[in-house]
């Protein structure tokens, strides 16, 4: 894309299949305008992500205080941080600046936002709850990371069959390990460190998706890097209904639950929401996707797409 041609909002979206209502009509338009400004100023996507970390952590600090107006400030700061989170991806698509570091930073940013929120809630409730609130937060945080990780993985699987490799950020540990093997700690310390973390992150995603891994390996062995058009159409049709669950497990739904819990001055309810409601959705999403992939594996073995 030439530098004198203004990119459209649509060109900065991943796909209509994977975009959520609140993102399409709120965060993406705001992120698009931020991205245009950052592009003009020569600011990189990773720099935007780092800025979002400071804003998001500031939001978490606000939630420590049992004060209505400080809570409102915390909500506004988290919305601002997430608009930057939208902008960094849109800017990356505008400028074609994609990297493993960007993927790691993006996930790390969200983790830091919510880590600060968790800590603030625990410190706020500690005088009443004692150490039990920290135990609840640690358990909730573990499942939070799994929810977000699997939602991200399933969206990228969907995008791979919808738009091809160039439209997806799906990676696999074999290729990442091969790349990591070419790096040395002495000459490529930071790059190797980032790639090591990212490889472990990807390995965790793969460990939850056994049936998909079998299906994907079989698909590549029979058809190479490009799946048959009919398979891609069939996969999109079956995968599309699951995208609403990936969206719920991402940011917006949990943020609304957080805002409600903070506004009614019952922060602990946010942990309960993540542990019960979002974990039920996580289990259902993984079960449904694995069942779907098992069916596709059988159809590939029966030469349906030959």
């Amino acid at each position: 894309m030439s530098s004198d041609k203004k990119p459209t909002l649509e060109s900065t979206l991943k796909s209509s299949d994977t975009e959520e209502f609140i993102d399409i009509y709120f965060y993406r338009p705001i992120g698009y305008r931020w991205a245009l400004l950052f592009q003009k100023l020569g600011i990189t996507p990773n720099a935007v992500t780092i800025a979002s970390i400071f804003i998001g952590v500031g939001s978490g600090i606000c939630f420590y205080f049992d004060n209505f107006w400080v809570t409102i400030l915390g909500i506004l700061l988290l919305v601002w941080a997430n608009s930057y989170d939208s902008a960094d991806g849109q800017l990356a698509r505008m400028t074609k600046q994609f990297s493993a570091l960007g993927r790691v930073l993006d996930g790390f940013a969200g983790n830091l936002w919510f880590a600060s929120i968790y800590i603030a809630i625990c410190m706020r409730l500690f005088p009443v709850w004692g150490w039990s609130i920290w135990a609840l937060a640690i358990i909730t945080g573990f499942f939070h990371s799994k929810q977000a990780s699997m939602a991200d993985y399933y969206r990228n699987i969907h995008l791979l069959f919808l738009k091809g490799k160039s439209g997806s950020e799906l990676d696999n540990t074999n290729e990442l390990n091969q790349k990591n093997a070419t790096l040395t700690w002495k000459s490529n310390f930071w790059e190797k460190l980032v790639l090591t973390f990212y490889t472990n992150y990807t390995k965790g995603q793969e460990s939850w998706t056994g049936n998909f891994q079998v299906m994907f390996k079989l698909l590549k062995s029979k058809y190479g890097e490009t799946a048959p058009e009919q398979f891609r159409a069939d996969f999109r049709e079956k995968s599309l209904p699951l995208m609403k669950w990936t969206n719920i497990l991402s940011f917006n739904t949990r943020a609304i639950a957080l805002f409600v819990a903070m506004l009614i001055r019952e922060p602990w309810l946010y942990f309960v929401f993540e542990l019960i409601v979002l974990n039920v959705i996580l289990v259902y999403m993984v079960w449904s996707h694995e069942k779907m992939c098992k069916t596709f594996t059988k159809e590939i073995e029966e030469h349906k797409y030959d």
Side-chain angles (χ1 to χ4, degrees):
M1 182 177 295
S2 60
S3 59
D4 60 341
K5 185 177 179 182
K6 181 180 176 181
T8 63
L9 171 60
E10 290 73 21
S11 71
T12 68
L13 304 180
K14 290 183 178 180
S15 79
S16 59
D17 282 8
T18 55
E19 295 288 352
E20 191 178 4
F21 179 85
I22 295 174
D23 287 335
I24 290 175
Y25 293 102
F26 183 72
Y27 283 113
R28 297 305 183 229
I30 294 173
Y32 171 66
R33 286 164 177 79
W34 279 124
L36 288 175
L37 175 62
F38 295 143
Q39 183 184 35
K40 186 178 294 186
L41 295 175
I43 297 173
T44 66
N46 289 347
V48 177
T49 305
I50 292 170
S52 80
I53 292 174
F54 289 97
I55 299 168
V57 169
S59 168
I61 293 171
C62 290
F63 292 138
Y64 166 74
F65 300 95
D66 187 6
N67 177 281
F68 176 79
W69 293 111
V70 178
T71 296
I72 293 296
L73 176 60
I75 290 171
L76 293 176
L77 285 174
L78 193 59
V79 169
W80 184 8
N82 197 54
S83 74
Y84 271 23
D85 183 62
S86 180
D88 63 14
Q90 290 171 279
L91 180 61
R93 285 184 282 279
M94 283 181 185
T95 59
K96 310 301 181 187
Q97 293 177 297
F98 302 105
S99 66
L101 176 59
R103 288 272 288 155
V104 171
L105 267 180
D106 197 50
F108 186 58
N111 288 339
L112 282 180
W113 302 350
F114 281 95
S116 69
I117 291 167
Y118 279 36
I119 292 170
I121 291 175
C122 288
M123 292 177 66
R124 176 170 167 174
L125 297 182
F126 183 76
V128 175
W129 286 66
W131 291 105
S132 61
I133 192 62
W134 288 97
L136 180 61
I138 290 170
I139 295 169
T140 304
F142 170 80
F143 285 108
H144 176 130
S145 67
K146 291 298 181 183
Q147 293 158 8
S149 171
M150 295 314 299
D152 174 69
Y153 196 61
Y154 287 137
R155 275 200 303 268
N156 278 304
I157 290 172
H158 186 87
L159 287 168
L160 177 68
F161 293 116
L162 176 68
K163 303 179 75 173
K165 199 165 186 177
S166 62
S168 169
E169 296 176 332
L170 187 72
D171 287 302
N172 66 80
T173 53
N174 287 335
E175 292 179 359
L176 292 173
N177 282 328
Q178 289 173 12
K179 183 176 180 181
N180 207 356
T182 66
L183 305 175
T184 64
W185 288 108
K186 184 177 180 179
S187 302
N188 317 98
F189 179 82
W190 290 111
E191 186 179 359
K192 191 173 180 68
L193 181 66
V194 168
L195 193 57
T196 299
F197 276 112
Y198 183 54
T199 302
N200 289 333
Y201 172 78
T202 304
K203 185 177 180 180
Q205 292 172 317
E206 292 176 349
S207 69
W208 280 51
T209 54
N211 289 345
F212 168 73
Q213 303 306 325
V214 171
M215 183 207 78
F216 196 42
K217 185 177 180 180
L218 178 62
L219 194 67
K220 291 181 75 171
S221 69
K222 289 197 68 172
Y223 307 108
E225 293 297 326
T226 305
E229 190 64 35
Q230 186 59 52
F231 174 86
R232 294 173 61 185
D234 289 351
F235 190 92
R236 176 184 180 271
E237 180 184 358
K238 295 287 175 34
S239 174
L240 186 58
L242 297 179
M243 291 302 101
K244 63 177 176 291
W245 304 121
T246 68
N247 287 329
I248 289 173
L249 292 177
S250 299
F251 177 81
N252 292 325
T253 301
R254 73 175 75 239
I256 291 170
L258 171 67
F259 297 161
V260 170
M262 300 307 300
L263 288 170
I264 65 174
R265 297 183 173 179
E266 298 290 351
W268 62 273
L269 284 175
Y270 173 64
F271 292 157
V272 173
F273 176 80
E274 286 201 304
L275 275 177
I276 298 176
V277 178
L278 296 190
N279 270 345
V280 168
I281 292 173
L282 172 65
V283 170
Y284 175 76
M285 182 181 70
V286 173
W287 176 82
S288 299
H289 201 277
E290 285 290 276
K291 181 181 177 183
M292 176 186 73
C293 290
K294 188 173 183 179
T295 300
F296 275 119
T297 297
K298 184 177 180 181
E299 291 177 349
I300 295 169
E301 290 173 340
E302 293 173 349
H303 309 285
K304 177 178 177 180
Y305 299 103
D306 290 354

